[in-house]
Amino acid sequence: MALSTPLRQQLEAAARAVSERAYCPYSQFRVGAAILTGDDAIFTGCNVENASYGLTICAERNAVFAAASHGMTHVRAVVIYTPTPHPTAPCGACRQVINEFGPDAEIISICDSDEVLHTTLDILLPDAFGPKNLG
Ligand code: THU
């Protein structure tokens, strides 16, 4: 079911707000993500970089892991905010992690212009490997 306007606005505000907490001294690229769970709860995450660059974690994965740590089992939607002129789609690793809990999730990327990327995980990650493959 498509997101209601108030829920979408809440998710957008949450993604913008959490992007302020991004720890990104190396890339200076702030990202905020907000997840809507199957219970209509909202969890957020920002990117957290590391001096050992490869240990950096993206905003989307931090949001999914925070939600899972609180018992979430279904991701309905993910909103991603970047303070850029164009929207940013989730990276490949984050697509795979979102797939674990939300193969049908709506993915909405917003930015500092009116441009929006509104898509679904099955478009971003077709023929995905996931829990269904294991039984
Ligand atoms: N990043 C995210 O948080 N999400 C994405 O989908 C793309 C990339 C972060 C990782 C790193 O801290 C910075 O953006 C530059 O790649």
Side-chain angles (χ1 to χ4, degrees), residues 80-129:
I80 300 147
Y81 166 74
T82 49
T84 52
H86 304 291
T88 304
C91 80
C94 290
R95 294 176 195 198
Q96 181 68 31
V97 167
I98 295 166
N99 180 68
E100 189 72 19
F101 300 99
D104 304 316
E106 256 184 87
I107 312 284
I108 302 170
S109 299
I110 58 169
C111 61
D112 282 345
S113 73
D114 288 340
E115 212 181 308
V116 175
L117 176 67
H118 194 159
T119 186
T120 56
L121 195 66
D122 59 318
I123 288 171
L124 294 177
L125 193 69
D127 300 324
F129 173 79

Side-chain angles (χ1 to χ4, degrees), residues 29-90:
F29 190 77
R30 291 185 177 278
V31 187
I35 283 182
L36 181 69
T37 71
D39 304 330
D40 284 352
I42 293 176
F43 290 91
T44 59
C46 58
N47 51 327
V48 179
E49 298 186 345
N50 191 273
S52 173
Y53 299 160
L55 296 181
T56 291
I57 297 281
C58 294
E60 299 90 323
R61 271 177 287 160
N62 273 335
V64 171
F65 297 152
S69 303
H70 285 83
M72 172 281 296
T73 55
H74 182 223
V75 172
R76 265 184 72 191
V78 183
V79 171
I80 300 147
Y81 166 74
T82 49
T84 52
H86 304 291
T88 304

